[in-house]
Amino acid sequence: MPRLHLLLAGLLMLATSPGTLAEQTFSDAPETMAGAPTLSQLSVDGNRFINADGDTVVLRGLSLSDPWHLERQGHWNRAYFEAARAWNAELVRIPVHPGWWREAGHEQYLQWLDQGVQWAGELGMYVIIDWHTIGNPLTGVPHRPNYLTTQEETYYFWHLVANRYRGNPVVAFYELFNEPTNRGGEMGRLPWPEYKAYIEGLVDMIFHIDDTAIPLVAGFDWAYSLEHVRDDPIDFDGIAYVSHPYPQKREPPWQNQWEADWGYVADTYPVIVTEFGYMAEGDRGAHIPVLGDDTYGKAITDYMADKGISWTAWVFDPRWTPNLFTDWDYTPTMQGEFFKKVLAQ
Amino acid sequence: MPRLHLLLAGLLMLATSPGTLAEQTFSDAPETMAGAPTLSQLSVDGNRFINADGDTVVLRGLSLSDPWHLERQGHWNRAYFEAARAWNAELVRIPVHPGWWREAGHEQYLQWLDQGVQWAGELGMYVIIDWHTIGNPLTGVPHRPNYLTTQEETYYFWHLVANRYRGNPVVAFYELFNEPTNRGGEMGRLPWPEYKAYIEGLVDMIFHIDDTAIPLVAGFDWAYSLEHVRDDPIDFDGIAYVSHPYPQKREPPWQNQWEADWGYVADTYPVIVTEFGYMAEGDRGAHIPVLGDDTYGKAITDYMADKGISWTAWVFDPRWTPNLFTDWDYTPTMQGEFFKKVLAQ
Amino acid sequence: MPRLHLLLAGLLMLATSPGTLAEQTFSDAPETMAGAPTLSQLSVDGNRFINADGDTVVLRGLSLSDPWHLERQGHWNRAYFEAARAWNAELVRIPVHPGWWREAGHEQYLQWLDQGVQWAGELGMYVIIDWHTIGNPLTGVPHRPNYLTTQEETYYFWHLVANRYRGNPVVAFYELFNEPTNRGGEMGRLPWPEYKAYIEGLVDMIFHIDDTAIPLVAGFDWAYSLEHVRDDPIDFDGIAYVSHPYPQKREPPWQNQWEADWGYVADTYPVIVTEFGYMAEGDRGAHIPVLGDDTYGKAITDYMADKGISWTAWVFDPRWTPNLFTDWDYTPTMQGEFFKKVLAQ
Ligand SMILES: [Mg+2]
Ligand SMILES: [Mg+2]
Ligand SMILES: [Mg+2]
Ligand SMILES: [Mg+2]
Ligand SMILES: [Mg+2]
């Protein structure tokens, strides 16, 4: 089928403003975003991310909240991205909740994502797009209704997103499935080989659309554990693995357990920690496994620095928890103060 | 993930009124009903149901109609359950239609179920929750639109229900899929090994949530035949099998055919007949395979008594057929008179 | 389950007007259309379609547009079918878009189809019912949102349609899945053996309902290529294969490529070209792969005549492209003039 539109879209990229899409004919693939500013294209080299010059890149930044959630609060705007940049984020993660994706419709959602990608790119920040579901991808049981999706919907989401940001260096990462878990069996069976086959199907599709994208693959236990990677890694080069090592996933001292559970993977493949954070027990919205303090903050950031692991701290929102700020003056919380300082170093 | 809420829910059970749910934090499993009265916990021992004292229990009762169907008629209330108890039901079966589950929403539906469980428990009746779908679970073809569901939705239904009634002795049984049929091929292929694998996935999930529940497994031909159990039973202990031996499934004399088709299973596993009933040809809503008379009624109840098979007669509703009563004074039909007498013995 | 209704429906067919359905009881299969006029029943014999007298039949006609699309324009009516007949169509193809099937609801849609079948039959034209989806049937990725469906929905569609037109000779063909494609990998993996297994499941279901129907099976590359049939044909007799050889699928000269890509199948199985057409580059809605002129028109119709291949030209609608007419006076376009002449021969 015709690929002329790709060339066209490429030319337009240099000239047009955000939101201008190349004209479509019937047979064309889904639209590609035009006009995004260019950052150096990232790729995977061994266990590192490198830029177009071959330099090793370790990115640190912030996990944002969902565009629709922010839109309804009146804060899906450039100021929000400027605040993230003011905290020295080099990377921002944009979560898309399946339930909201359906409610708002994918055309609206992709326009919000275009805006975020545009703002991030102008401010010099890379973007992770995150399919923010939690549950068992094989049985379809979600942790909560807003996380409910199907394999078919997930394929279609990534088909649209990968076409939208084909060859766009700002959108460096696609986090395929936020937190796979079967809750110890309570969401049905979740054998790694079947999960792996599903993930490989998604990666295969994405690479056919855009082999400059870097898919991010989570392990089980709510994206904490990468134990299965040791013996049975994803059968594609060019991907990276994800962990969400919240403080109470393990009892301190953590380092040896992190190394055994997921950190060891960073010796062979790139690893990126796309969620972690902490808050005090009495705080609003506090819950297991996020209770912790700066001791944890220091331990995990030191551990990741040692290992060359990129990260985004959860969450740059005043309502979701553990929150990084408390109000729309971006007043930092306990962890907010800590991460702001680390990012400034 | 945190299980503290379970302990909490357990404690609340002793103290709170129905409908009061333990407070949830983000990582918690779906809510567990609080405050249900306690009957003796049933379990499977060989081919029998036993109570907490180890006594063999054979339960006889009534198949109710759907909570939403009754709610719209103004009869989803304690009086309806009291009427079932007045007919001497020891067991009631509550069917949930997938189409109505979606329309009313699961939060509303679970509240109705909580009410039913509460009323049944207070009146000393056990409960079967029945996912009231008819069709081919592999291709998804339903007998009628209201029976349409998917494997994903079925997993999520049982995930929510099994969490809701974790460890609750009143809710003794989960009838996983009311009537599997492929209509002789007209709904697509339905090989037993694939059906069995699906059912085992559901049982595995439920037992991880609550190993005190007793899943009920139907065979093919609209839950009539258990022919496949002989050579290839479900690979779990602690379950029971279901048949729906309506009169015209076979020509009289029935007994030897029932024995060969499904009754033989009762020699090895518990069997429960969750639907059966009859009406005269000229009656409103009469249809194959439910045409019959008291000859059938006596034959089937005698057969089940001989075999120690538990049962619920279809249906304790004045509209659905074959109906057990004709109006909201609970005036019995032909079969209503018959079953009322048998239940009183 | 009871089949008495079938006999009843058969009797009614002789006597009733269109739209009159036999009364249903609970256990009955979905309704069968009553009253359709009778054409000679077609069937497959080797690589030919034959009628009830055993005569070889090669059908030529028009691909209509979707009932709902026409209904909204006020043109889903007998006059539209009369116009097709005035162009000498012997066969019309009715596409059903999954998105519209869901929106209008299947009861409404089946009534529209009943009307079309009635009008076509009265006018002496056979009907293809076409599940008008485009995309990867395994991952569920659609080419556009209106093509989105699932395997479950596709099974249910064919279950309802095959019951509706059981034994109805006017509805000769069921085109199972309009255009399977994975866009060269960009819609995910699409191995032929898995597609074949899915299609065989649909054929198996349809033949259990109505073994007088002729299922039509498309190959990959948007229903262009039948390359996989050579070594691994569908494991059922009584089916036919489909190709959509639009002009730019290959560079001229076309004939040898058509022969190698899909036409060779016509030596062994019946082949029917259910979509093809062309328009000039500057025309409204022109796009790859439909650009062409009468050279193509002559080449493809000559090739099909040589091979005894039946066909319907795309599309008997003034808006969709390549269109056969420009206004509701049925003024022919370039290709419209050409096909009208060929059909008149
Ligand atoms: Mg599915
Ligand atoms: Mg990119
Ligand atoms: Mg599905
Ligand atoms: Mg229980
Ligand atoms: Mg037919």
Side-chain angles (χ1 to χ4, degrees), chain B residues 64-208:
Chain B
L64 308 182
S65 70
D66 190 288
W68 199 21
H69 173 74
L70 289 168
E71 176 75 12
R72 282 177 295 189
Q73 296 177 66
H75 292 284
W76 182 252
N77 52 38
R78 201 177 197 279
Y80 177 72
F81 281 75
E82 287 167 356
R85 190 60 183 145
W87 284 40
N88 291 293
E90 302 157 315
L91 172 65
V92 289
R93 176 188 189 238
I94 305 177
V96 179
H97 286 72
W100 292 339
W101 170 259
R102 284 189 294 276
E103 276 179 43
H106 70 251
E107 294 197 7
Q108 171 62 77
Y109 238 98
L110 289 168
Q111 287 173 24
W112 286 329
L113 291 178
D114 285 353
Q115 291 178 317
V117 169
Q118 181 74 19
W119 295 324
E122 288 169 2
L123 294 161
M125 300 185 290
Y126 288 98
V127 168
I128 300 169
I129 294 177
D130 156 42
W131 183 231
H132 202 71
T133 176
I134 305 175
N136 184 336
L138 301 183
T139 62
V141 175
H143 173 54
R144 292 280 185 272
N146 203 25
Y147 300 118
L148 187 145
T149 185
T150 60
Q151 294 197 1
E152 293 96 330
E153 184 179 64
T154 300
Y155 266 105
Y156 193 25
F157 174 80
W158 287 118
H159 177 72
L160 291 172
V161 168
N163 273 287
R164 192 74 160 204
Y165 306 109
R166 268 185 205 256
N168 185 325
V170 174
V171 185
F173 304 106
Y174 293 136
E175 194 169 348
L176 302 180
F177 193 106
N178 168 46
E179 293 194 345
T181 179
N182 74 338
R183 209 177 177 92
E186 297 187 1
M187 290 169 164
R189 290 166 170 165
L190 181 54
W192 178 262
E194 292 180 34
Y195 171 70
K196 179 173 121 89
Y198 171 40
I199 291 295
E200 287 171 352
L202 293 171
V203 172
D204 184 80
M205 177 181 75
I206 289 170
F207 280 166
H208 274 90

Side-chain angles (χ1 to χ4, degrees), chain C residues 21-85:
Chain C
L21 297 162
E23 202 181 334
Q24 291 264 306
T25 67
F26 178 80
S27 303
D28 290 344
E31 292 151 322
T32 297
M33 180 188 176
T38 297
L39 302 181
S40 181
Q41 176 69 50
L42 301 183
S43 60
V44 169
D45 181 48
N47 69 340
R48 302 172 306 145
F49 298 126
I50 59 170
N51 65 20
D53 297 326
D55 305 322
T56 298
V57 172
V58 178
L59 297 163
R60 302 176 312 173
L62 298 166
S63 202
L64 307 182
S65 69
D66 189 287
W68 199 21
H69 173 74
L70 289 169
E71 176 75 12
R72 281 176 297 189
Q73 297 178 66
H75 292 283
W76 182 252
N77 52 37
R78 201 177 196 280
Y80 177 72
F81 282 75
E82 288 166 356
R85 189 61 183 146

Side-chain angles (χ1 to χ4, degrees), chain A residues 12-62:
Chain A
L12 283 172
M13 242 191 195
L14 307 174
T16 63
S17 60
T20 307
L21 296 162
E23 203 180 333
Q24 290 264 306
T25 68
F26 178 80
S27 302
D28 290 344
E31 292 152 322
T32 297
M33 181 189 175
T38 296
L39 301 181
S40 180
Q41 176 69 50
L42 301 183
S43 60
V44 168
D45 180 49
N47 69 340
R48 303 173 304 144
F49 299 126
I50 58 171
N51 64 19
D53 297 325
D55 306 322
T56 297
V57 172
V58 178
L59 296 163
R60 302 177 310 171
L62 298 166

